[in-house]
């Protein structure tokens, strides 16, 4: 066969539904084909994960077909050679390797393959300390909103869609999936119901600027009473809205096209740019990390997308020395509420340290002096209260029990330490 993918028509599926299978899977027999079909239909519930894993698996089996390998001849050496020549980034390689591992594990459970050839293969290590998503400035976001006209319903739709991604910190998949009934009233303000990945569901209060964008779009489109319909709808060639939802690829092209009109380079803008820009803008204007974490769906997302350097590297973050402690935040310690309000970790000054032999920068001249590594380790330890007697196995009392006192008195005391040899 010359084609990489061959249509597969199981008897239980209607003839109109053609499911392409790689040639390597098709040549392995009917059991491998059924198991491959079940993996991508019954085992993976998320549509985005299914599409990404299918592309990764199809690319690997195309590579195997070009080298004359069948399914049972694939070994860890072949998988390692494939990833050695893989042109993608480290993150892409890790995703493709995860797809292959899951697929081969599923084939092993179905008794199609004896071992998993991708299990022993490793890729490069990836450590992400800050996000790579480009962030726009306040002036660029303002210029982008002002450049979108308000005469046509398509322009009003695009302006409301960009505003929804910016003000709600929502991913493009959640924003294009909005329905009209997700625009609800939360009392004195309007709100949007976000259905994010992982089953996260939350209601986000709508910014007054976004409320103006949505109200203008709903009035122009005339879909306010279609509660079960899609909020952001695609248009036909005659520029009239249909009942179909917008595609994410169209949103990506639209954003780049409109950003280019205001002088923003295409490589500095994407669908995820407005999520990162919204989080950064919220934190830089006095917002707390706890609320940003709740809206964005996790602390890791906030730390990845926000420009943390302006909170950490700035000289005016905290007038005291830097050190992490646990417990309730003390009043008036002069530290930033916006960034260090996550959980029970906050920023507070360290206690003054004595000048010892492990000091690197000499005697301490104030709370902002440079501290040694040993001093930082000692200050980071969780210290017990004075009321806890360490010889009594964690009992909290000011006076040790009689049995502990007897043990302490019966110990021989050594007034002279033995000399070291």
């Amino acid at each position: 066969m010359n084609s990489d993918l061959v249509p597969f028509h199981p008897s239980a599926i209607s003839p109109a539904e053609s499911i392409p299978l790689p040639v390597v899977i098709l040549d392995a027999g009917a059991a491998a084909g059924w198991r491959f079909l079940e993996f991508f239909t019954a085992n993976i519930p998320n549509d985005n994960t299914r599409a990404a894993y299918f592309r990764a698996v199809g690319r690997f089996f195309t590579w195997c077909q070009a080298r004359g390998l069948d399914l049972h001849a694939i070994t860890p050496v072949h998988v390692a050679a494939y990833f050695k020549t893989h042109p993608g980034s480290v993150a892409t390689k890790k995703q493709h390797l995860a797809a292959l591992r899951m697929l081969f594990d599923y084939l092993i459970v179905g008794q199609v393959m004896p071992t998993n050839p991708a299990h022993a293969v490793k890729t490069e290590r990836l450590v992400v300390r800050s996000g790579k998503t480009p962030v726009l400035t306040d002036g660029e976001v303002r210029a982008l909103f002002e450049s979108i006209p308000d005469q046509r319903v398509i322009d009003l739709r695009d302006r409301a869609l960009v505003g929804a991604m910016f003000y709600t910190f929502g991913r493009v998949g959640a924003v294009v999936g909005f329905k009209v009934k997700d625009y609800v009233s939360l009392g004195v303000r309007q709100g949007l119901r976000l259905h994010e990945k992982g089953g996260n569901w939350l209601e986000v209060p709508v910014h007054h600027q976004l409320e103006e964008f949505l109200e203008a779009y709903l009035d122009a489109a005339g879909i306010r009473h279609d509660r079960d319909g899609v909020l952001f709808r695609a248009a036909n060639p005659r520029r009239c809205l249909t009942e179909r939802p917008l595609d994410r690829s169209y949103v990506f092209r639209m954003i780049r096209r409109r950003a280019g009109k205001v002088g923003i380079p295409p490589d500095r803008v994407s669908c995820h740019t407005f999520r990162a820009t919204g989080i950064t803008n919220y934190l830089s204007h006095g917002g707390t990390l706890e609320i940003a974490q709740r809206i964005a769906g996790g602390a890791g997302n906030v730390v990845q997308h926000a420009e943390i350097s302006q909170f950490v590297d700035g000289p005016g973050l905290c007038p005291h020395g830097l050190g992490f402690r646990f417990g309730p935040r003390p009043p008036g310690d002069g530290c930033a509420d916006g960034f260090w309000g996550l959980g029970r970790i906050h920023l507070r000054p360290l206690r003054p340290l004595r000048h010892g032999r492990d000091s690197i920068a000499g005697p301490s001249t104030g709370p902002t002096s440079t501290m040694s590594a040993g001093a930082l380790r000692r200050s980071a330890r969780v210290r017990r209260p004075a009321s806890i007697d360490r010889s009594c196995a964690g009992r909290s009392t000011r006076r040790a029990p009689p049995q502990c006192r007897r043990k302490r008195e019966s110990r021989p005391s050594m007034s002279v330490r033995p000399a070291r040899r």
Side-chain angles (χ1 to χ4, degrees):
M1 298 183 182
N2 297 327
S3 59
D4 298 336
L5 300 176
V6 178
F8 179 61
H9 299 276
S11 58
I13 301 178
S14 61
E17 298 178 353
S18 179
I19 301 176
L21 290 181
V23 176
V24 176
I25 295 293
L26 195 64
D27 293 342
W34 275 108
R35 201 63 181 172
F36 185 89
L37 178 64
E38 292 175 0
F39 175 74
F40 285 102
T41 54
N43 188 53
I44 302 178
N46 188 274
D47 296 335
N48 299 325
T49 305
R50 183 185 301 112
Y53 280 16
F54 188 81
R55 288 192 298 267
V57 170
R59 185 172 182 172
F60 172 73
F61 284 134
T62 302
W63 182 88
C64 293
Q65 180 191 358
R67 286 152 181 82
L69 297 174
D70 58 2
L71 182 62
H72 297 281
I74 299 175
T75 63
V77 177
H78 299 117
V79 180
Y82 167 73
F83 283 104
K84 195 67 176 179
T85 59
H86 198 288
S89 62
V90 179
T92 303
K93 293 180 182 180
K94 286 186 173 295
Q95 184 195 54
H96 289 194
L97 182 59
L100 293 179
R101 285 175 177 173
M102 288 184 61
L103 174 62
F104 285 127
D105 283 341
Y106 204 78
L107 294 178
I108 290 173
V109 174
Q111 299 181 359
V112 177
M113 293 190 67
T115 58
N116 189 338
H119 182 72
V121 180
K122 295 183 179 180
T123 59
E124 298 91 337
R125 185 180 179 184
L126 178 63
V127 179
V128 179
R129 300 189 183 278
S130 60
K132 297 186 295 184
T133 305
V135 177
L136 304 179
T137 62
D138 296 349
E140 290 173 338
V141 176
R142 191 178 300 109
L144 179 61
F145 283 140
E146 293 176 354
S147 66
I148 302 177
D150 55 356
Q151 284 79 23
R152 300 184 303 174
V153 64
I154 296 181
D155 298 330
L156 296 174
R157 178 203 63 189
D158 294 346
R159 187 179 64 175
L161 189 146
V162 175
M165 289 191 295
F166 176 72
Y167 287 110
T168 64
F169 311 159
R171 297 177 177 87
V172 61
V175 173
V176 297
F178 277 144
K179 294 187 177 182
V180 179
K181 63 182 179 182
D182 291 329
Y183 182 59
V184 297
S185 175
L186 300 180
V188 295
R189 304 189 64 176
Q190 297 293 110
L192 281 173
R193 292 173 179 170
L194 280 171
H195 301 268
E196 286 285 1
K197 65 179 184 179
N200 294 325
W201 180 91
L202 68 156
E203 291 182 347
V204 181
V206 171
H207 191 270
H208 64 88
Q209 188 70 46
L210 177 58
E211 184 177 355
E212 295 179 6
F213 294 162
L214 290 173
E215 291 292 336
Y217 165 63
L218 289 175
D219 292 339
I223 59 175
R224 189 183 297 271
H225 300 288
D226 187 10
R227 304 293 296 173
D228 294 329
V230 182
L231 180 60
F232 299 111
R233 307 188 176 191
N236 56 19
R238 292 180 294 179
R239 301 291 181 178
C240 297
L241 296 181
T242 63
E243 296 182 357
R244 296 181 291 105
L246 279 176
D247 188 68
R248 290 175 298 175
S249 59
Y250 169 82
V251 178
F252 177 74
R253 296 192 301 269
M254 178 270 295
I255 288 174
R256 289 206 165 189
R257 183 181 71 251
R258 294 192 180 275
K261 294 181 180 179
V262 295
I264 301 176
D267 57 347
R268 285 197 57 227
V269 64
S270 64
C271 298
H272 227 55
T273 298
F274 296 96
R275 174 179 169 89
T277 305
I279 295 173
T280 304
N281 182 274
Y282 174 76
L283 293 177
S284 61
H285 288 79
T288 61
L289 189 65
E290 293 174 348
I291 298 179
Q293 169 193 350
R294 195 177 309 149
I295 299 175
N301 298 321
V302 177
V303 174
Q304 266 192 354
H305 298 308
E307 289 293 328
I308 300 302
S309 58
Q310 62 179 319
F311 300 102
V312 176
D313 299 334
L317 172 64
C318 178
H320 311 290
L322 302 185
F324 292 97
R325 294 288 179 84
F326 293 86
R329 173 184 171 85
D333 60 352
C335 301
D337 285 326
F339 180 67
W340 298 108
L342 174 61
R344 299 186 63 187
I345 303 177
H346 62 273
L347 197 65
R348 60 178 295 184
L350 292 172
R351 58 180 177 83
L353 299 177
R354 295 178 297 178
H355 175 53
R357 62 181 180 181
D358 57 348
S359 178
I360 299 175
S364 175
T365 58
T368 58
S369 300
T370 305
M371 309 220 176
S372 62
L376 288 176
R377 284 196 300 270
R378 288 196 302 272
S379 62
R381 295 172 185 168
V382 178
R383 304 187 179 277
R384 301 184 181 182
S387 60
I388 297 180
D389 189 271
R390 302 194 179 190
S391 63
C392 299
R395 297 182 181 178
S396 179
T397 176
R398 292 190 177 275
R399 183 172 176 82
Q403 61 271 20
C404 293
R405 291 201 299 269
R406 287 194 297 268
K407 291 181 181 179
R408 191 181 305 169
E409 294 171 358
S410 62
R411 294 174 184 173
S413 60
M414 297 182 62
S415 58
V416 179
R417 294 183 180 180
R420 294 185 179 179
R421 297 182 179 178

